[in-house]
Amino acid sequence: MLTPFRNEALTDFTLPENRAAFEKAMVKVKAELGRELPAVINGQEIWNGEGFVSINPARPAEVVARFPKLGIEHAEQAIKAAAEAFKTWQYVPVQERAGYILHAAGEMRRRKQEFNAVMVLEVGKSWAEADADTSESIDFLEYYARQALRIADSSEMLIPYPGEQNGLYYIPLGVGVVISPWNFPNAIATGMTAAALVTGNTVCFKPAEPSSWIAAKICELFWESGIPHGVLNFLPGKGSVIGAHMVEHPQTRFIAFTGSKEVGLRMFEQAGQTKPGQLWLKRTILEMGGKDAVVVDETATLEAASVGIVQSAFGFQGQKCSAGSRAIIVDSVYEQVVGRAVELASKLTVGAPDTSAWIDQGPVVDANSFKKILDYIELGTQEGKLLLGGSPLDTPEKGYFIPPTIFGDVDGNARVAQEEIFGPVLACVRASDYDHALQIANSTEFGLTGALFSLNRQRLERARREFHVGNLYFNRKCTGAMVGAHPFGGFNMSGTDSKAGGPDYLLLFTQAKLVSERL
Ligand code: NAD
């Protein structure tokens, strides 16, 4: 008998014993730095020389892990292994599959600080952001195990028909390709993989290159928890090479992807082209980018709004799909809210996050992101008024540090107010009134998250209908969706609105089979 689902508690790092536990875990994972981590296909480790490395973005010369040179022959091997494993895994009782996923949850809970420490080193998360990521990961495991049991036999949902015994069964799809991003390197990778496995599919898992170390740890955890080799195959490698090959492969039944709009759109097209010998229409679960807005009207509690803007814009250096990268504020309170947001953001501490629990902002993830964000900052100086930040930190180790950067008086149609920057850059847009603010909020091609700070009931209700985003929040920040409470996914160019962490998510990894027996 399972206990009801409850969200995992966050670690309180103000307590010295919790800081000590994190520091101990950090010593453990630092002893692992620089190892060669093979691909694992059907339980066989593959190391054929170094293909790429994952680095610590706070000290880019520090290699955290090394990975092999995978090519399309490895993608072929993995798909073959996953297809073979599917022949038996699909019939393993759901109770047994859910049991393995729950073992993984328990083990991750016990090793929480170790998983946190890896993310602090590999992608530059603060301790608190890493802890939220691991907590969400545990939540996905606990939640999907329970949901799989719930949906497996849905016969009681059918209307009884005289003289017949009818059954509705959600059965697995087949071989899935799971392709994850680096920004929630534990939660999203674990969540998509667990959802696929617990519903009886087999998986070829390719993580984002900058977060391949944490991905290797997640796979080890699954195998140690009882998931058979072959059912889960680990392929750290280039997206454009092995990722693309697996997406196009005729034996791939579905693709679970989270990442950028550009890559997601390409996959959508590729998945739509059936190959000779392909027996199905490929299922795609594609979650993509955002240009999320925090709207503030003149009735709002302005201090709460300013805090919400800063938390939404700068958590994990603005590298969240849900980041509130636009603050849209009505004219009469614009100066006050923007002034306070600048003041609050200027107090955020920036530095190497392994050095202290009190660092708010670490580095951005890699050299490419660093350059792209700085290019947008350059553009922002032409499109708006620089109010804070704007220049990278010059550290001895040449870390990719960009402090919180705020532009004021940006036009809603400016590129820095329309395109996903994915860094600590906030565009503040002045709206003449609430109508105008809502219109600006809805003016991008995305539709992922949004927040409205207002105490006016009619305006809240209007936003409930008209603010066109998958996850809308009132009088709170637009980041930090909780599994079970806030199913997550976006509209328009933000993706297929899969609502991860919600009651319908697992259905995407299944097909429903109706069996009717004449009595
Ligand atoms: P990305 O699109 O660059 O990469 C995502 C994954 O796709 C990586 O594993 C990458 O190796 C792989 N890939 C790249 N090219 C490929 C190809 N041609 N074929 C197959 N696979 C390929 O994204 P990223 O930089 O890792 O992540 C950041 C992006 O993810 C942002 O746009 C962010 O908004 C988005 N994101 C969305 C959500 C959501 O739930 N909507 C959540 C987190 C991140």
Side-chain angles (χ1 to χ4, degrees):
M1 174 71 180
L2 279 174
T3 54
F5 172 79
R6 288 177 62 181
N7 290 113
E8 178 69 13
L10 298 175
T11 307
D12 178 356
F13 288 115
T14 64
L15 299 177
E17 61 269 31
N18 288 344
R19 291 202 299 280
F22 176 90
E23 277 155 6
K24 193 169 160 210
M26 184 55 89
V27 171
K28 177 179 185 293
V29 302
K30 279 191 173 169
E32 298 175 20
L33 285 180
R35 285 191 189 167
E36 292 175 351
L37 298 178
V40 182
I41 299 174
N42 208 14
Q44 274 199 310
E45 296 191 351
I46 293 171
W47 183 267
N48 57 353
E50 188 172 294
F52 72 99
V53 297
S54 177
I55 54 101
N56 177 350
R59 300 182 287 274
E62 186 173 283
V63 171
V64 300
R66 301 169 194 281
F67 297 92
K69 293 180 197 151
L70 295 194
I72 55 172
E73 68 275 21
H74 301 108
E76 289 285 341
Q77 275 174 31
I79 289 173
K80 202 166 158 215
E84 191 58 31
F86 183 66
K87 290 179 184 164
T88 49
W89 180 247
Q90 63 179 317
Y91 300 122
V92 170
V94 64
Q95 290 79 1
E96 185 179 331
R97 295 195 305 253
Y100 299 141
I101 299 299
L102 291 168
H103 290 169
E107 190 58 20
M108 194 179 291
R109 189 176 290 114
R110 273 186 289 283
R111 289 167 55 192
K112 195 174 188 191
Q113 300 310 331
E114 177 187 338
F115 279 85
N116 289 347
V118 171
M119 282 186 281
V120 167
L121 290 176
E122 192 177 30
V123 296
K125 289 212 170 197
S126 67
W127 298 20
E129 289 286 351
D131 194 63
D133 194 328
T134 305
S135 300
E136 187 178 5
S137 190
I138 295 168
D139 281 351
F140 279 137
L141 293 165
E142 294 278 356
Y143 184 80
Y144 292 151
R146 285 165 175 75
Q147 292 297 322
L149 295 169
R150 180 181 69 81
I151 65 164
D153 181 350
S154 294
S155 303
E156 79 284 358
M157 306 280 285
L158 300 176
I159 306 294
Y161 192 79
E164 285 182 4
Q165 173 83 52
N166 292 326
L168 182 66
Y169 310 105
Y170 285 95
I171 66 167
L173 294 168
V175 175
V177 177
V178 172
I179 299 188
S180 59
W182 50 263
N183 72 327
F184 280 92
N186 191 354
I188 293 179
T190 300
M192 292 195 294
T193 304
L197 294 176
V198 78
T199 43
N201 303 286
T202 55
V203 169
C204 299
F205 167 45
K206 197 216 80 66
E209 293 91 316
S211 59
S212 296
W213 182 23
I214 181 89
K217 284 214 177 260
I218 294 166
C219 288
E220 275 166 23
L221 184 95
F222 275 126
W223 293 316
E224 284 163 15
S225 304
I227 298 291
H229 286 294
V231 167
L232 171 62
N233 302 283
F234 176 53
L235 295 126
K238 293 251 177 290
S240 52
V241 181
I242 57 164
H245 188 75
M246 293 194 294
V247 166
E248 288 181 318
H249 199 286
Q251 272 185 288
T252 304
R253 178 65 181 81
F254 69 96
I255 298 144
F257 165 80
T258 308
S260 61
K261 181 192 89 177
E262 290 68 25
V263 175
L265 287 182
R266 186 175 316 150
M267 285 181 184
F268 191 55
E269 281 179 20
Q270 286 168 336
Q273 290 164 9
T274 45
K275 289 279 171 65
Q278 185 175 323
L279 294 179
W280 42 68
L281 304 181
K282 237 173 243 191
R283 180 81 57 85
T284 53
I285 305 157
L286 308 173
E287 295 311 307
M288 308 172 346
K291 188 70 188 177
D292 311 306
V294 178
V295 173
V296 184
D297 80 3
E298 71 283 9
T299 71
T301 308
L302 300 188
E303 179 63 15
S306 308
V307 170
I309 286 172
V310 170
Q311 287 175 336
S312 303
F314 300 118
F316 187 36
Q317 296 83 265
Q319 300 170 118
K320 299 185 186 182
C321 51
S322 55
S325 52
R326 295 181 295 155
I328 304 168
I329 305 159
V330 300
D331 188 42
S332 57
V333 292
Y334 176 92
E335 297 297 341
Q336 203 179 331
V337 172
V338 172
R340 182 68 180 135
V342 167
E343 197 180 341
L344 289 167
S346 69
K347 292 187 184 136
L348 295 174
T349 50
V350 184
D354 60 328
T355 58
S356 156
W358 314 124
I359 298 284
D360 297 305
Q361 279 209 192
V364 300
V365 74
D366 60 16
N368 286 343
S369 285
F370 187 65
K371 178 169 183 320
K372 177 180 154 195
I373 297 164
L374 291 176
D375 287 348
Y376 270 112
I377 289 177
E378 174 62 30
L379 178 66
T381 57
Q382 295 152 34
E383 293 187 326
K385 192 156 60 167
L386 182 66
L387 303 176
L388 184 71
S391 308
L393 297 193
D394 189 11
T395 58
E397 291 108 345
K398 303 285 172 228
Y400 303 127
F401 295 100
I402 301 178
T405 295
I406 301 183
F407 291 102
D409 284 315
V410 177
D411 186 276
N413 295 319
R415 283 184 56 203
V416 293
Q418 288 285 326
E419 297 172 15
E420 187 182 48
I421 299 173
F422 223 55
V425 181
L426 171 66
C428 297
V429 182
R430 197 187 287 264
S432 52
D433 56 15
Y434 176 66
D435 270 19
H436 188 209
L438 202 51
Q439 184 200 322
I440 299 167
N442 282 335
S443 71
T444 76
E445 63 179 338
F446 298 105
L448 189 45
T449 76
L452 168 61
F453 283 85
S454 171
L455 298 182
N456 181 308
R457 175 48 55 193
Q458 281 171 342
R459 289 182 183 174
L460 294 171
E461 292 310 318
R462 188 171 158 207
R464 194 187 293 272
R465 293 189 307 271
E466 296 177 26
F467 197 155
H468 196 59
V469 292
N471 284 61
L472 178 61
Y473 303 99
F474 292 158
N475 295 312
R476 52 152 287 187
K477 62 181 180 165
C478 65
T479 55
M482 299 299 288
V483 170
H486 310 131
F488 190 81
F491 300 159
N492 296 348
M493 287 297 160
S494 291
T496 51
D497 190 35
S498 66
K499 289 293 183 276
D504 305 329
Y505 186 67
L506 292 191
L507 298 182
L508 300 169
F509 295 81
T510 66
Q511 50 199 343
K513 180 169 186 174
L514 183 283
V515 181
S516 178
E517 181 176 347
R518 178 69 58 83
L519 296 173

